[in-house]
Structures are given as C-alpha cells and as structure tokens.
Amino acid sequence: MNDNHPAGHGPTREVTVADVLALPVLAAGQPEVVTGVPHLDRPVRWVHITELTDPASFLKGGELVLTTGMPLPEDAAGVRRYVDELAGVGAAALVIELVRRYHRPPDALVDACRVRGLPLVTLAKDVNFLEVTQVVHALLLGNQADAMRRTQRIHEAFTALTLRGAGPEDVLRAAAEMSGRTVVLENLVHQALICEPSGLTVEEALADWEPRSRATGSGDTTAIRGPEDWLTASVEYQGERWGRVAMLPARSDGPAFGPEDVTLLERTAMALTVARLIHPTPWERTAHRNALLDLVEQRHRSVEDARARCAALGLPTDRGHFVAALVDLHAGKGGGTETESRLLQELRTAGVPALVGELAPDRIGILLALRASQPWRPVVERLSGTVLGLAPEAVVSVGSEVTDLTDTARSFRAAARVAEATPPGQPLPPDRSFHELSDIGLRRLLYALREDPRVQEYTERQLRRLIDHDVQHGTDLLTTLRHYLDAAGNKTTGARRGGLSRETLYQRLRTIERLLARDLESGDQRTELHVALTALDVLRAG
C-alpha cells in the first residue's frame, strides 16, 4: 500500500460478509458465493432488505443487500445498471433468494457482479429476511458497544499514565500491551529511540530502520503509510513536530489496523507530548544510555537484537573496530549534562559514530564505532581534551579494542578496571591525556583492590608487628624498611636515603628481621614486604 490514506477508513475487524454468511440464520438458506470470493472480508455496516428497482438511492455504503429477485430488470442493460449503482455506492454484497422468481441466478446478473467485483450470494432455500436483519444488527450494535468500552479503557489508561508522570518507556509499553503490536518512537532524523516489541522481535522491528522509515513518508495526521503499512502519529514538543510514534503490523498476514488502533496511537502521541514536557532529559540521551547499559550488562535477548537496536540509533554495527571509554567526574561536581552534550558535538564534528550516555552518577560511557583503517587514539585524545577543559579533575579511561559489537562489554570491563585503578589526581602519562590498561602497575592495581579484605588482611599480617613497635617505642622502623626496599636491598643507598650511617641501618634492619621473622637477604621475602608496604601506602591514602 503506497498511497497515504486515513487509518480509520482502512479495513477493520468488524463484522464481514463472510461472518454474516456463517450465521445460522443465513446458513440455513444454503448460501453459495457465485462471484466476489476475494471480497468476502468487506465489513458489513448494516443489512438492507429491498424490492426496489433502484435501492442504491437508499444506501450509504457497507450494506448487505437482501432481495427475492422480484425487482430485477428483465433486460441485461437494466441488470448492469442495477449492479453498477450498488457497486458505486459501496454495497458490501448482494444476496438473492432463488425461491420465487429465479431458480438460478441470471447470467446478466452474474456477469455484471463479476465485472464490478460485487459479491453475489444465492440462497437455495427460503430465509426470513427480517430475522436476518435482527440478528446482524444486534451483532453490529454489540460490536459498537464493545468498541466504545474499549475506547473508554484506552482513554482511562493513558489519562492515568499522564497523571502519574509516566516516562516514554512506560507510555510505549502500555501501547504495545494494549494493541498487541510493536510500537516504536523515533526522532526527526529517523533514529529509533525506544522500541517495545510485541508480535515481532527487536531485530524484525528495527532491521534497516532508517531506510524503511524514510520510505514510509511523513505527515501530521494519524494514518497508515508506506509500503509496509505502518500506522504513524506525530509527537510534538513546545508546539513543534519533534518526532513520531509508529505502530507496526504484527505480520504480513495479520489483522489490519482499525479505528481502535488509531485512537490508541493518537492517545500514545498525546501522552508522549506531555511526557516530553515533564521529563527534561533529551530522549536521545536516554536512548543512548539504555543502549549502552544493554551492551555493558549484556541484557539483549540476542546478538541480532543488539545490532538492530544500535543500528537504529545511528551506530554502524559493521565497522572495523569498537573502543569503549569512561569519563569519571568527581562526585558532587556536576557538569555531566554539559559534558555529554560537548562530547556528542565533538564526535559529530569529527564524523565519528558513537553512543554517549550516563552509565552511573558522575560516570559517562562512550562507545566509538571506527573504520578499520581509523586509529582510535587521536579520537580519544580529542575527547579527553574536551572533557578536561570542562572538568580538569575528570578521569578518562579507555578499554581494549574489539572488532565485534557483541564484544563491547569486554571493552567496557577493561575501561572500568582502568578507572578503578586510577585514583583522583593520578598524574597523566606525558604523551596523552587518558589512562589505559598498560598504565596499571603494582600501586594502581593495589589501589583498585584496596577494599578487598584479603589485601587488607595481607598487609596487616605482614607489617602489624613493625607498626605496633613504632607506635609503642616512638621509632620509625617502617620508614627505614621502605628506604631499604626502595633501594632494592642496597644498604648503602638505603642508608643515604634515610640519612643514616651504615651501622645504624644494619642495626635497624636486624631489629626489623627479628620483629617480622623475616630474612631481608631473601629476594622473595623482600618482594612480599614491598607489596605490603605499597598496599599500606594505598590504604592510608585512600
């Protein structure tokens, strides 16, 4: 369906010609469909009994016309005119009883109905037409009452969502649950920000989203559009068109959209407009954050869903390599929103596709999608410069390079390890403004593990007696041990660093060996004590 048309005038799941023919009151007449079998899904809006030669003047469209055949013209031209008028006004079908005047349908009538695509149904037995109208009209009125009740429930549900300040995810989830169809919110550049699947997988819904969405066309009215028959409605913000919400057909052979779907989508669009006013955070940023969290925590149902969702946000998933980075701001300093905006601006200026979003308070996540020949270091250096210009105390940590989108969780884990091992105020390497895995030495590794009870217990077990002795006797043997170990066991260098004579140093080292029950001539034991001293420095600094 390529032409735009109002959704309310499209096919619906109302009572159809086939439904009416299946009713016992008509089935008793042994109905036979002579022409128009493909059109038995036409909706029946009323039943009209007529014995007039020009019944079309009393019809409005959608009627099932019942006749005994008595008023049919004798001549073929008159029969054609009779059928043309019924078809022209939009009658749903013509039902003729073969009991009184005819025992088989006239050839002229069959030919005329076949040409106009009008379903022609014959009844071999006598049927009470009045009873048919009563049964069908009761069914139609019952359907209308049910539809009114369902519409009322839609209004009540979305009013409740609006009153409690529901966010866009809640609104779309309600729409998907009530319609049983997938609902997608997109912005003006055809990026799918939120997808609530129902009847389709995320991959099926979002695959090649942008070209499919652009092929759908645009418009301000709620309508079925494009080659895939999407039902779309505009979403506004401060009086301007901001984006749109699309309801997708469940399957190609599924039921078409009806008036209730139009009402539901229009209420969805209204609730989203209100939610956009209530929730100030740009929804693109929220969409980036949610996509990043799904990647980091591997919450996607499948690899294909992950790729489809990221691609629908504008992140190419077939790039040569991906790199994750974390920006940690000092708690309470703020500036996260401005930093996010500046980072996105820098990336767009550089032409680098990326997702940028807040993964935790004061922590911004970045996922870069780079071409195979494009080095990541200059891009990260540029971003780091931007960050440090806004927040000099910030720390930028970079993870490992990966070649597949599904491995980005590993890159983020590596970046998180770097961040955990980087204390505030940690000097930057001389050649760059960010930290990476190769920067993590012993001291920074112990810093990352400083809250682990095993590290704390090890440090205490190795040094407790020496620390207690210093406290009780006012000595400073711990410092002497540090100078000696920092000199890699060279006593002359150790004595010079501590401002001690060699004899004094020898005496103190013998006391340390006795207190700790250690042999300082052993390389392994010196290493163990050096690790414990480094851990103690980290723990005290922390």
Side-chain angles (χ1 to χ4, degrees):
M1 186 180 303
N2 295 312
D3 296 332
N4 295 350
H5 56 275
H9 297 148
T12 72
R13 267 309 292 147
E14 297 175 303
V15 178
T16 65
V17 174
D19 294 332
V20 174
L21 297 181
L23 293 172
V25 68
L26 261 179
Q30 298 179 359
E32 178 184 352
V33 181
V34 180
T35 67
V37 172
H39 305 297
L40 295 182
D41 59 348
R42 287 180 177 175
V44 174
R45 292 181 170 80
W46 207 246
V47 176
H48 185 76
I49 304 172
T50 182
E51 299 299 341
L52 300 174
T53 57
D54 59 341
S57 58
F58 296 91
L59 305 180
K60 294 183 178 180
E63 291 87 358
L64 185 80
V65 178
L66 302 177
T67 180
T68 60
M70 298 300 291
L72 282 178
E74 296 285 352
D75 57 309
V79 170
R80 284 195 300 272
R81 183 173 60 254
Y82 182 91
V83 172
D84 286 343
E85 290 178 357
L86 290 179
V89 80
L94 174 63
V95 179
I96 181 171
E97 190 181 69
L98 301 181
V99 175
R100 294 171 176 78
R101 180 177 178 184
Y102 299 106
H103 296 288
R104 57 182 298 274
D107 293 339
L109 180 64
V110 174
D111 292 341
C113 288
R114 183 175 292 114
V115 169
R116 295 304 304 265
L118 180 68
L120 174 63
V121 181
T122 61
L123 300 175
K125 292 187 175 181
D126 191 18
V127 169
N128 187 326
F129 282 175
L130 182 59
E131 187 177 353
V132 171
T133 62
Q134 290 174 337
V135 171
V136 175
H137 290 172
L139 182 62
L140 292 172
L141 293 173
N143 276 6
Q144 291 175 10
D146 287 343
M148 290 177 64
R149 284 191 289 269
R150 287 192 293 269
T151 299
Q152 182 63 26
R153 285 197 293 270
I154 291 171
H155 288 298
E156 290 173 353
F158 280 90
T159 298
L161 284 170
T162 300
L163 289 176
R164 68 179 176 85
E169 293 87 356
D170 296 328
V171 173
L172 258 69
R173 189 176 301 115
E177 290 174 355
M178 296 182 74
S179 66
R181 303 176 191 267
T182 296
V183 185
V184 181
L185 174 67
E186 69 170 11
N187 59 15
L188 289 177
V189 293
H190 302 277
Q191 292 177 342
L193 306 183
I194 305 174
C195 173
E196 281 295 333
S198 181
L200 297 172
T201 65
V202 172
E203 180 192 9
E204 290 172 327
L206 298 183
D208 299 319
W209 177 263
E210 183 177 343
R212 290 167 58 208
S213 177
R214 291 186 182 279
T216 300
S218 61
D220 294 331
T221 59
T222 304
I224 297 175
R225 293 186 167 87
E228 297 183 43
D229 289 347
W230 291 1
L231 180 62
T232 67
S234 293
V235 178
E236 295 186 354
Y237 178 57
Q238 295 182 341
E240 299 289 337
R241 187 165 174 263
W242 173 87
R244 69 176 177 178
V245 59
M247 185 180 288
L248 311 187
R251 302 286 179 187
S252 58
D253 57 348
F257 295 114
E260 289 176 31
D261 296 311
V262 177
T263 301
L264 176 60
L265 200 65
E266 288 177 341
R267 284 309 308 264
T268 301
M270 290 172 59
L272 288 170
T273 296
V274 174
R276 186 68 183 85
L277 294 170
I278 295 174
H279 300 275
T281 301
W283 289 351
E284 289 89 347
R285 190 172 300 159
T286 303
H288 279 218
R289 180 198 65 200
N290 291 339
L292 285 173
L293 286 172
D294 287 345
L295 289 172
V296 171
E297 300 174 10
Q298 297 180 300
R299 300 188 303 199
H300 288 286
R301 296 178 183 176
S302 68
V303 172
E304 292 75 16
D305 281 4
R307 291 197 177 103
R309 190 180 290 272
C310 290
L313 282 173
L315 185 81
T317 58
D318 56 353
R319 286 293 173 110
H321 55 142
F322 301 86
V323 176
L326 296 174
V327 176
D328 286 299
L329 307 170
H330 272 316
K333 293 290 185 180
T337 299
E338 182 182 359
T339 303
E340 275 187 65
S341 300
R342 286 291 299 276
L343 288 173
L344 281 169
Q345 181 181 344
E346 285 289 337
L347 288 164
R348 287 168 181 159
T349 301
V352 178
L355 297 178
V356 179
E358 187 181 56
L359 299 182
D362 297 311
R363 169 168 283 187
I364 299 171
I366 306 168
L367 178 61
L368 305 173
L370 303 161
R371 297 184 299 276
S373 60
Q374 186 176 12
W376 61 266
R377 289 181 180 276
V379 178
V380 175
E381 190 68 45
R382 179 174 180 171
L383 294 179
S384 299
T386 300
V387 170
L388 296 177
L390 293 170
E393 74 286 351
V395 174
V396 180
S397 310
V398 183
S400 52
E401 186 178 1
V402 296
T403 57
D404 192 279
L405 182 72
T406 56
D407 291 332
T408 53
R410 177 161 56 88
S411 185
F412 273 109
R413 283 196 297 270
R417 285 199 296 272
V418 175
E420 290 166 2
T422 306
Q426 174 71 33
L428 285 163
D431 58 337
R432 50 188 157 83
S433 58
F434 58 87
H435 302 270
E436 56 182 324
L437 280 170
S438 61
D439 298 329
I440 301 178
L442 175 62
R443 183 175 296 274
R444 290 178 64 172
L445 176 62
L446 291 171
Y447 175 79
L449 300 174
R450 65 192 182 280
E451 296 181 2
D452 191 319
R454 291 171 295 182
V455 173
Q456 298 172 11
E457 188 274 334
Y458 174 83
T459 304
E460 187 70 6
R461 175 164 45 86
Q462 293 285 341
L463 301 174
R464 178 178 57 81
R465 292 178 182 176
L466 193 61
I467 296 171
D468 289 347
H469 184 277
D470 281 346
V471 171
Q472 293 170 9
H473 298 86
T475 56
D476 197 10
L477 296 178
L478 192 70
T479 300
T480 299
L481 178 62
R482 177 178 288 108
H483 289 320
Y484 172 71
L485 294 176
D486 287 345
N490 187 303
K491 294 183 177 64
T492 301
T493 303
R496 185 172 65 251
R497 289 183 175 181
L500 304 173
S501 67
R502 290 173 60 88
E503 287 300 323
T504 302
L505 178 67
Y506 293 160
Q507 181 183 3
R508 290 189 178 186
L509 291 179
R510 285 194 295 271
T511 302
I512 291 170
E513 287 181 319
R514 178 176 55 80
L515 290 170
L516 298 182
R518 290 284 178 168
D519 179 7
L520 294 180
E521 295 298 321
S522 167
D524 286 345
Q525 293 189 30
R526 284 204 308 268
T527 299
E528 291 172 358
L529 289 171
H530 201 180
V531 170
L533 268 175
T534 305
L536 180 64
D537 292 341
V538 167
L539 290 167
R540 285 178 170 177

